[in-house]
Each structure stands twice: as structure tokens, then as C-alpha cells.
Amino acid sequence: MPRETTPESCRIQARFAALREQGRAGLVTYMMAGDPDPASAQAILDGLPTAGADIIELGMPFSDPMADGPTIQVAAQRALKQGQTLKGTLEMLSRFREKDTETPVVLMGYYNPIHSHGVERFAADAAAAGADGAIIVDLPPEEAPELTGPFNAHGLHLIMLTAPTTDAARLPAVLAHAGGFLYYVSITGITGTRSADEAQVAEAVERLRRQTDLPIAVGFGIRTPEQAAATARAADAVVVGSALVDRIAKGDDPLGFVAALAEGVRAARR
């Protein structure tokens, strides 16, 4: 079952409550820990809240990111070549928490590094570093109890994914373990390849709202402030990953891009 929260472990709920009061959707930004190098990645992470990110997904580099497109695959390779490890990613988060105790941070990655680290140890170390939960993209609902027990014990959310292919028979199995918010993957396939139709996203979000009280974040294929604004008209939060990672790879101004995305999201319901 999803974990119960306490006042000490509810950054995600507090953020979505604040967004509701403001009458707007949130911006969730994804970056890969250690990319393009540890120092630059730390600076980007530390700057995301001021630039306009409401929630941060921090990627845990893995050598076989099967659900990700070329942009994030290459980012993981760059980070691994720079010596980024799971331990280093948690240390990066700890340094962020020295400056920011309010912005929710969700670790995102694959189960293999967690299994190698040890599930109980990962939950304890992630919570100590200041994580609010994790998205494990290759963990099916049937295997979720391997994490929910340790996560619940350490006040972490397991953020579950749902997709256009998740039918009415499958959705309850996903929701049974979901906490924090529900991540709707708006397209089939890998990250960063194409964009979803606005009307289809709105229809999907409405369908999900009938089944859960969790906030719904929509991601995959959102690359511009205009697309972010369109998604923000339906969703509780908009997730942008590959487009931001692209700018980091090119040496463009990633925080300026986040600011433009944030303005698009904030303007969507004015």
C-alpha cells in the first residue's frame, strides 16, 4: 500500500497543496546526476528551484537505460564516464539539501543499481540524503512490494508510472502501490522521441482522476514552453526531461530554459 505521511516527510504533498492554492500546475524537471560533470551537475541542480522547477527528478545513471531515448542514454554514459555512482548521486542530493529543504526531489532510474546497493540500505540512504521518493521505471507493480516496505519505513514515496496502454484492468494494480503523485507517460515508446496530442492527454488525465486522488504529472515528449503550457491546462504537473538534458549536453543555458518552461506552465491557466 502507499505509505502514510507525516509532517516531517510530506514535501510532495505540501508542494502540490501550494500549487492548488496558486491555481496552477507545477513544473517537474529531470536531470542526470553527474552530467556533464559532477561540479556542473551540482550547480544545475542547486539552481533549478530558483529557475522555476517545482519538483526535481534526479536521474541515477545506469549502463542500460532501456526506457530512455538517445538523449538520456548518452547522458547516463557521460555521467558514468565521469565516475558518477549511486553513492555520488546521494551525496549530490545531500549537498543540495544543505541549501534547499523544501523542493521535493525524486530519484529516477532502474532497479539493478538499487538491488546491488541493497533495497533496505538504499531506502535508508536515500531518505538520509533528502529524497522524497523514487521512480523505478523497470519495476512492474507485481514487484513493487520489494520496495514499498522499506520505502514506507523511511518515509519515501514510490512514484508509479501509467501509460496509454494501461487499461482499466491493469490500473488498480498500479494505483495499489502509488504514492506522492502518479506519473502519466503520455506516449508509448522511449523518452524524447515525439509529443502527445493535447486532447488525448486531457482525456487520459480525466480518466485517471476518476480512479485516484493523487496529483497527476504528465511527461514524455514535452520539449517547448508552448507544449508545457498545453499540458499544464490538464495536468497537475508537467515533466520535462530530454529537452533539458539536450541543452546541458550542448552547453546551452539550462536554467534559462527552465525559466521559460516555468513561465509557460504558470501562464497556462491565467
Side-chain angles (χ1 to χ4, degrees), residues 3 15 25 41 66 76 89-90 112 121 131 143 153 158 162 186 200 210 231-232 245 267:
R3 56 86 138 157
R15 182 52 50 95
M66 66 186 77
T89 299
L90 297 179
N112 186 277
R121 181 184 169 202
E143 306 300 328
L158 181 61
T162 183
S186 62
Q200 291 175 339
R210 294 194 291 268
T231 304
V245 174

Side-chain angles (χ1 to χ4, degrees), residues 164-218:
T165 53
T166 307
D167 60 21
R170 181 68 168 166
L171 185 59
V174 174
L175 295 177
H177 306 289
F181 60 90
L182 188 66
Y183 189 141
Y184 177 65
V185 176
S186 62
I187 61 171
T188 55
I190 56 177
T191 58
T193 53
R194 56 191 178 88
S195 301
D197 176 78
E198 181 179 350
Q200 291 175 339
V201 169
E203 181 181 352
V205 169
E206 181 58 32
R207 175 176 61 86
L208 291 170
R209 288 198 202 286
R210 294 194 291 268
Q211 302 297 322
T212 181
D213 293 328
L214 288 172
I216 299 168
V218 176

Side-chain angles (χ1 to χ4, degrees), residues 1-3 119 123 139 141 143-160 176-179:
M1 295 295 293
R3 56 86 138 157
V119 173
L139 186 75
E143 306 300 328
E146 293 187 22
L147 288 182
T148 50
F151 273 31
N152 290 345
H154 292 281
L156 298 173
H157 292 287
L158 181 61
I159 313 297
M160 298 296 290
H177 306 289

